[in-house]
């Protein structure tokens, strides 16, 4: 079971990398007002959601303690990210504040995962 959990952790990190990488590669475009949400950002957010839910289930099935409040906060932040990216995915350019919010929320989600013990 530990191998399976570690596989899903790896996939979860790939999802984070896709979402955050898509944001970081468009920092210059954000400054110019031409940034847009890429398919990689949407797929990264979806990957994070699916693998995160799977990780909670696998950890509970393996009798590991799961902090349900932490998971609920992380999921709420991710749902906001996913909603923003999904709704605005077809627009040619995204408002700087909305694009920046996705980057900030993604970074916040990473720090919640790492620092909340």
């Amino acid at each position: 079971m530990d191998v399976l959990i570690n596989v899903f952790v790896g996939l979860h990190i790939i999802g984070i990398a896709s979402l955050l990488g898509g944001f970081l590669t468009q920092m210059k475009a954000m400054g110019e007002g031409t940034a847009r949400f890429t398919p990689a950002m949407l797929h990264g957010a979806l990957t994070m959601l699916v693998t995160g839910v799977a990780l909670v289930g696998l950890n509970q099935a393996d009798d590991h303690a799961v902090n349900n409040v932490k998971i609920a906060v992380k999921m709420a932040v991710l749902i906001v990210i996913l909603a923003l990216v999904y709704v605005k995915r077809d627009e040619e350019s995204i408002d700087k504040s909305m694009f920046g919010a996705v980057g900030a929320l993604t970074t916040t989600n990473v720090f919640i995962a790492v620092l909340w013990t």
Side-chain angles (χ1 to χ4, degrees):
M1 185 71 94
D2 287 338
V3 172
L4 188 59
I5 290 172
N6 288 333
V7 166
F8 275 93
V9 168
L11 291 172
H12 196 68
I13 292 171
I14 290 170
I16 294 166
S18 179
L19 179 58
L20 195 56
F23 171 78
L24 292 174
T25 59
Q26 294 197 54
M27 291 290 288
K28 183 176 180 182
M30 185 177 78
E32 298 168 355
T34 59
R36 59 188 312 250
F37 293 132
T38 63
M41 294 174 75
L42 176 63
H43 296 149
L46 288 170
T47 300
M48 287 173 60
L49 179 65
V50 170
T51 58
V53 169
L55 281 168
V56 170
L58 289 170
N59 278 300
Q60 287 180 339
D62 203 25
D63 290 329
H64 292 134
V66 175
N67 186 340
N68 290 319
V69 175
K70 174 183 173 180
I71 299 303
V73 169
K74 283 182 54 58
M75 183 172 275
V77 171
L78 182 57
I79 296 278
V80 171
I81 293 168
L82 193 54
L84 290 172
V85 173
Y86 185 77
V87 168
K88 300 289 187 176
R89 73 187 183 279
D90 291 330
E91 294 191 13
E92 286 299 317
S93 64
I94 307 298
D95 181 53
K96 290 179 187 181
S97 60
M98 183 176 296
F99 197 78
V102 168
L105 288 171
T106 303
T107 304
T108 300
N109 227 0
V110 170
F111 282 113
I112 290 171
V114 173
L115 299 175
W116 188 339
T117 56

